[in-house]
Every structure is written in C-alpha cells, then in structure tokens.
Amino acid sequence: MNNTLARAAAVAAAALGLTFTVATPALASADKCKGDAYASCVAVNGTKLHVNSIKSRVALYAKTCRYGHSQVLINGKHYADSNGGNDKEYCSKSIFGAEVTTGTWNVNRNYAKGTKICSKFWRYTGATGPGTSNGYSSYGTACATIG
C-alpha cells in the first residue's frame, strides 16, 4: 500500500471512529506504545538490523504523575531498568498528557531479524491482589520487532 492510500485509509478510519493496527516489523527504528490512557512506550533508534539506542517512556494522562520504573526486555529477557530499578516520580505537565522518558540506553550493536525489544512501565502502588506483583501494576508491554 503506498503512502497516499495509507493516509487516505487512516483519514477514513478516523472519520468513522475506527482504529486499525498494522503489525509491520521495524528496520531497527520504531516507536510503539501499549495501553489506554496510561501506557508503556518503547522507541528503538537505528538502521537495518543495527540498534543505536533504546528509549523507554510512560504515556501519562493530563497533568498526572506516576511513581515507578520502566523495564526493557529483549526477546523476553531482562535487559535493563530505568534508574537502576529504583522508582521515581514521572509527571506530565501538559493538560493533554505527555509521553515522559524514563530511560535511554546506548546499545550500538546488531540484532538478528525478528528480535523483539520491549518496554514495560511498572507503577508502584503498594497494593496487592489481582493484576499486581509485589505492589506493582504494569501499564502494558510495548514492543518493536527488528527486521
């Protein structure tokens, strides 16, 4: 599908109130979010199969703050935590909400085609029960696929 058709389809979908998600692999550059009003986000910067850096973010609703940290996973295995795994308060200063960077890692290496790089924001609430793990709840897992 060429860019003109893709834009036309997006405009038509927006006019109809529809949301379409196309799962296309990234060429070592991608930016994805997963969640509702609050979401985990990941940005991968690079070319072809080479990854220069990974950035984790949390998408926050209008002028809110959330206390927690992001976790980066590569092919499901732990790679890094923002702030060394220490929690921090992240805030949106916009009435419209914002994506706030929680961590950036300079990777500078090649990955195999199909490698999944993911980020998950863990909000600390101290609560226990369904949907929590040791007082944390996740805003979802955002992933980008290399290749």
Side-chain angles (χ1 to χ4, degrees), residues 7-135:
R7 276 190 219 106
V11 169
L16 294 172
L18 302 174
T19 302
F20 295 111
T21 303
V22 179
T24 57
L27 291 175
S29 280
D31 198 334
K32 309 275 183 179
C33 290
K34 177 75 175 183
D36 295 322
Y38 301 103
S40 299
C41 303
V42 66
V44 178
N45 172 274
T47 55
K48 298 186 181 176
L49 300 177
H50 186 82
V51 174
N52 296 321
S53 63
I54 301 168
K55 184 183 288 188
S56 61
R57 299 184 320 281
V58 59
L60 300 172
Y61 191 68
K63 288 194 174 187
T64 57
C65 294
R66 291 295 181 256
Y67 187 73
H69 68 279
S70 288
Q71 178 181 53
V72 174
L73 307 163
I74 299 179
N75 286 334
K77 294 182 180 160
H78 181 264
Y79 176 77
D81 292 299
S82 62
N83 301 315
N86 296 317
D87 294 333
K88 178 180 171 183
E89 189 169 67
Y90 297 97
C91 299
S92 164
K93 295 179 170 107
S94 169
I95 61 169
F96 302 107
E99 291 176 8
V100 180
T101 299
T102 56
T104 302
W105 296 268
N106 292 318
V107 178
N108 196 29
R109 66 165 284 200
N110 292 329
Y111 283 97
K113 184 176 182 175
T115 298
K116 281 185 144 317
I117 298 177
C118 304
S119 178
K120 180 184 288 197
F121 184 79
W122 289 98
R123 177 183 178 206
Y124 184 75
T125 62
T128 57
T132 64
S133 176
N134 296 322

